Amino acid sequence: MSAAPDWGHAAPIERLDGEVAIVGVGEGDHSKASGRTHQEIAAQAIARALDDAGLEPADVDGLLYSGGMGTEFGAKEFHAHFGTSHEIAAAPRGGGMVWAGTAPVAAVEWLRSGRARHVVNVFAVSWATQRGEMVGGPGHFHAHERMKRHLEVPWGWFPQPVYFATIARRHMHVYGTRPEQLGAIAVACRRHANLHPGAVMRDRPLSLEEYLARPMLFDPLRMEDCCLISDGGGAYVMSSLERARDLRAPLVVVEGVGDGRSHADVYWALQGDFTATPQVFSAPAAFEMAGIRPKDVDVLALYDPFTIVALMQIEDMGFCAKGEGGAFVEGSTLHFDGGRLPYNTHGGLLSHAYVLGISHVVELVRQLRGEAAAQVPDAEIAVYGGYTGAMASTLVLRRE
Amino acid sequence: MTLPFPLPDPDFEPTRPFFAAAARGELRIPRCRRCDRLQWYPPERCRACGSPELEWVRTSGRGTLFSFCVVRRPLLREFAPLVPFATGLVALEEDPTVRLVTRFVDCELEALHPDLPVRAVFRPLGHPRIAAWTRVVPFFTLA
């Protein structure tokens, strides 16, 4: 292998020695605008995850949540919703995006020290209900970041669909990637969502022909290349392997975690490798910790705000060579039933719900237990890839 | 003073020299006096050597079209009167790792392709929905 590129690095991370298990998963109801608050949705997801684990709210003594984007659900909110008052270790080191992948590292400190026995990671949004151009939602941060406001937004380079259309065109120019290859990703996600009872797009089929006939509103991207805006959320419960053996769920063990960083911070325009993600740094670290190679992965879930983000991560994680992602994903490669790399088997951010990756991890746990709607036969190793632009994370899970 | 979104505040200190130069028809970028590297976006210290000694130097205004998006449905209403428009990045001739966000003007959208040579032109920013703001900023066109 060639030397690691110099535009980012793998952040040092606590080595997990197969000592954390995911013992319960749950989701809030996913929908378009529902009128619910993110706190209500988060509480619903936690209640379902605890029910899945066979635990009570009073058993939760660790809570990881998102520290930003107006999506906080800390100990105060937990007690308010569950009527509890016990001691809970809580920290804004969890949630969705990359943190849906790194939360086990935050949890292990508490599990090792005995400060917590059962740690919940939760994330929920009500962005469909809040939908507005600048108030909350995915564009909010970028509109208010001062350099972007002065050096990007005035020329119309805003918000995310524009960033990722620009990346997609460069990827097409450098590597020859074609629209029907991005379309193959969107079609695979939609097909999986059509099988998933909780997916927002469960009743809306999408063929490749239909995809190609849709207008390129953010040329070269179509609406079908872009994620939904949703109300929804999810939660998962982590315990030590020892305690997990006494609980009712089949064992799903955290085998590896990676955390990759780009030195370009939050500015896509300045990424050292414009058509790559920090999975370049994150995935090898996680795979090494887990002792696996890309070909060992039975089911993959990637943070997929846009088709091109999935394509880049597939390349950067080593499932194919850089630049060959387009050819790799064509046809049925990503489909759950016989594809070479079953991918986003719940439909992902494109077709399941835009709940920023938390449901990706929930889906992988269900796959490893054999409980998924679009079940991959005998899935043993599952991988989640998280992404924010400046960061990527990788989570390797194994069925015991 | 708070300007209506999405206008830049020309007095925002880190980018003030950029807008002041543009008003004179110049494209200026900060450069480290110690190691001569161009710096973008404007940092407080050189990203390569850490020196706080930066000067805004005039560039050729030439570069290549790095990549772009043709916006046919804007997500901001301020841009609605402009659609379809091409917005994207220019790699500067003096240092292609310096990528400037721009809007491409005075050319057919169909003529735009990555890696074509481009040059800066200076025009009022002019958002049709925001009256009375005519400050000159750099745009780019095919060279």
Side-chain angles (χ1 to χ4, degrees):
Chain A
M1 229 175 125
S2 56
D6 62 1
W7 53 268
H9 66 281
I13 204 161
E14 189 67 33
R15 191 170 184 92
L16 303 186
D17 199 18
E19 64 204 283
V20 179
I22 296 182
V23 299
V25 293
E27 293 171 284
D29 296 332
H30 303 307
S31 66
K32 296 180 179 173
S34 65
R36 293 173 298 159
T37 65
H38 76 85
Q39 292 96 335
E40 291 171 56
I41 300 166
Q44 183 183 44
I46 292 171
R48 288 172 177 171
L50 293 176
D51 188 50
D52 181 56
L55 294 169
E56 299 294 328
D59 295 321
V60 175
D61 47 13
L63 181 61
L64 296 165
Y65 58 97
S66 168
M69 303 185 291
T71 57
E72 292 82 356
F73 191 91
K76 182 166 146 272
E77 288 81 7
F78 185 97
H79 289 315
H81 280 269
F82 291 104
T84 47
S85 59
H86 60 289
E87 182 82 6
I88 297 182
R93 296 177 61 199
M97 303 179 91
V98 292
W99 299 279
T102 56
V105 173
V108 77
E109 295 170 20
W110 294 338
L111 295 174
R112 280 178 186 162
S113 69
R115 187 165 177 211
R117 293 164 304 147
H118 304 295
V119 181
V120 165
N121 179 43
V122 64
F123 187 81
V125 287
S126 55
W127 283 352
T129 292
Q130 295 172 358
R131 189 166 206 157
E133 283 167 346
M134 279 317 117
V135 182
H140 185 91
F141 167 78
H142 302 287
H144 294 273
E145 202 286 325
R146 292 194 307 171
M147 285 297 177
K148 289 173 187 257
R149 179 167 178 141
H150 286 83
L151 296 175
E152 298 182 0
V153 179
W155 289 266
W157 209 62
F158 173 88
Q160 285 93 326
V162 176
Y163 306 150
F164 288 99
T166 307
I167 292 171
R169 189 182 305 280
R170 186 72 191 173
H171 199 281
M172 290 170 160
H173 175 71
V174 173
Y175 299 118
T177 307
R178 300 193 308 273
E180 58 267 36
Q181 295 171 333
L182 295 181
I185 297 171
V187 167
C189 282
R190 186 63 61 84
R191 181 162 175 259
H192 295 154
N194 292 157
L195 296 165
H196 193 295
V200 173
M201 301 301 270
R202 62 187 169 273
D203 299 323
R204 302 270 297 276
L206 177 71
S207 70
L208 187 58
E209 293 68 30
E210 288 164 337
Y211 167 90
L212 290 169
R214 299 284 288 150
M216 291 194 281
L217 297 178
F218 313 104
D219 188 345
L221 296 186
R222 298 160 166 85
M223 285 300 283
E224 290 68 22
D225 291 295
C226 308
C227 60
L228 306 165
I229 297 291
S230 311
D231 289 359
Y236 60 84
V237 188
M238 292 167 281
S239 308
S240 68
L241 197 62
E242 197 181 354
R243 289 186 193 278
R245 290 189 196 283
D246 296 332
L247 296 173
R248 67 185 179 203
L251 267 180
V252 171
V253 181
V254 177
E255 294 283 334
V257 180
D259 180 353
R261 306 289 174 92
S262 160
H263 299 161
D265 200 3
V266 296
Y267 308 114
W268 275 282
L270 304 181
Q271 288 298 326
D273 186 341
F274 192 66
T275 51
T277 68
Q279 284 295 354
V280 167
F281 310 104
S282 177
F287 291 172
E288 191 276 327
M289 192 187 296
I292 65 161
R293 288 181 289 182
K295 69 173 180 55
D296 299 324
V297 177
D298 297 311
V299 55
L300 176 69
L302 297 178
Y303 187 85
D304 58 328
F306 300 90
T307 49
I308 184 65
V309 176
L311 188 74
M312 292 192 294
Q313 290 188 85
I314 285 170
E315 295 173 342
D316 298 338
M317 297 173 94
F319 293 106
C320 63
K322 189 66 196 175
E324 292 177 8
F328 179 81
V329 301
E330 274 186 280
S332 59
T333 301
L334 303 180
H335 293 220
F336 79 103
D337 49 349
R340 186 170 152 199
L341 184 64
Y343 159 79
N344 281 6
T345 49
H346 61 319
L349 304 179
L350 297 181
S351 285
H352 171 259
Y354 185 49
V355 293
L356 287 85
I358 191 76
S359 280
H360 288 56
V361 177
V362 170
E363 169 71 7
L364 292 180
V365 171
R366 289 183 178 145
Q367 284 284 350
L368 296 179
R369 292 179 184 173
E371 299 170 355
Q375 179 66 45
V376 176
D378 200 32
E380 184 193 340
I381 295 174
V383 168
Y384 168 69
Y387 173 79
T388 67
M391 292 183 274
S393 72
T394 314
L395 172 67
V396 182
L397 301 175
R398 187 194 296 264
R399 175 197 77 202
E400 190 162 287
Chain B
M1 180 182 66
T2 305
L3 289 161
F5 189 83
L7 297 181
D9 174 1
D11 295 323
F12 174 56
E13 189 53 35
T15 55
R16 189 185 50 75
F18 178 80
F19 290 107
R24 302 191 300 270
E26 298 173 1
L27 183 67
R28 286 185 180 262
I29 301 288
R31 185 176 68 189
C32 176
R33 287 183 199 267
R34 189 194 292 172
C35 73
D36 280 346
R37 284 193 175 89
L38 292 176
Q39 308 282 322
W40 199 245
Y41 298 156
E44 285 182 17
R45 292 171 170 274
C46 173
R47 291 191 180 86
C49 76
S51 167
E53 296 283 309
L54 303 171
E55 60 180 335
W56 286 76
V57 296
R58 188 173 182 182
T59 69
S60 65
R62 289 190 298 269
T64 55
L65 197 177
F66 187 72
S67 190
F68 65 100
C69 167
V70 177
V71 179
R72 299 208 170 86
R73 196 180 94 175
L75 292 170
L76 288 181
R77 65 179 183 280
E78 287 85 352
F79 289 97
L82 297 172
V83 295
F85 65 91
T87 178
L89 306 175
V90 167
L92 200 64
E93 182 178 80
E94 286 84 351
D95 179 353
T97 69
V98 172
R99 297 188 202 124
L100 294 157
V101 167
T102 195
R103 183 149 58 82
F104 297 97
V105 296
D106 299 344
C107 47
E108 297 294 320
L109 296 178
E110 293 71 26
L112 297 173
H113 293 288
D115 291 346
L116 287 179
V118 292
R119 63 181 171 85
V121 292
F122 295 85
R123 300 286 156 78
L125 181 59
H127 282 277
R129 282 176 175 267
I130 303 172
W133 206 87
T134 55
R135 192 170 293 268
V136 168
V137 302
F139 291 86
F140 279 82
T141 191
L142 292 176

